[in-house]
Amino acid sequence: FWALGFRVSIVGQQAPRSQAPVLIVAPHTSFLDVFTIALCYSSPVARVENRATPVLWAPQAVGNTIFVDRRSVHSRQEAMNAILARARSALPWPQIFIFSEGTTTNGRALIRFQTGGFKAGVPVQPVTIQYSRPDLTTWTRDQPHRFIHSILLIMANPVNQVTLHFLPVYSPDQEEIANPVLYAQNVQKMMAESLAVPATDI
């Protein structure tokens, strides 16, 4: 972050693992989001392709990352088992860091949250990410320019700001524990309200 001219602002306070074993993070708008994993000292759930991606692999290689091949039913189930085991474990694992949208977006709305971070039925801490220049940092698979062009655009702006907002820990009620879809929807709505953007079911 600092090498690319970013200044980090933290709002709120990260809860300890004992209070929130899982961090639910959104919106996921940029390849730069990977650096927030290190700021949170947490273990991400990431697609297996990131192992071979320049710049992105390093923060994940040292973070007890749970890698998943989304094309493989077996890999998805193994990842889910690892999330459940770690979230419920009494061992001192780092918090699990999950981009619950499951893909990058333009950040103008929160798309439907995947349920993987909610199936353990444990409290989660919602975390939002906002960039001062989303026109420079937003990177999705539909971008018209290449990765290197995005880097050059960011470097052309000498000072950028990223804000991590740690919202209050969300503890599920019995209905939400029994229904991970409902749990995910309610956390999505809470985060959307904080960001002042719509929560969608797309």
Side-chain angles (χ1 to χ4, degrees), residues 70-179:
R70 289 181 287 190
R71 296 164 297 184
S72 165
V73 174
H74 176 73
S75 179
R76 293 199 303 269
Q77 187 58 56
E78 287 291 303
M80 190 68 255
N81 291 343
I83 292 169
L84 293 174
R86 290 195 197 180
R88 295 167 175 168
S89 176
L91 298 175
W93 285 102
Q95 287 168 298
I96 304 169
F97 184 110
I98 299 178
F99 291 115
S100 282
E101 292 174 293
T103 188
T104 51
T105 74
N106 62 20
R108 296 174 187 170
L110 292 186
I111 64 173
R112 180 174 59 243
F113 279 12
Q114 305 301 310
T115 58
F118 304 93
K119 288 185 176 179
V122 298
V124 302
Q125 183 169 30
V127 184
T128 62
I129 305 173
Q130 291 180 286
Y131 294 93
S132 58
R133 291 291 305 273
D135 55 318
L136 301 182
T137 57
T138 298
W139 175 265
T140 72
R141 60 186 176 186
D142 297 323
Q143 291 295 116
H145 55 270
R146 295 186 301 167
F147 177 84
I148 188 62
H149 292 162
S150 190
I151 290 289
L152 292 173
L153 286 171
I154 291 167
M155 294 181 70
N157 195 49
V159 179
N160 299 285
Q161 182 84 19
V162 57
T163 301
L164 265 67
H165 187 178
F166 291 94
L167 299 174
V169 172
Y170 190 107
S171 296
D173 59 25
Q174 289 303 312
E175 185 179 6
E176 291 168 322
I177 291 172
N179 185 349

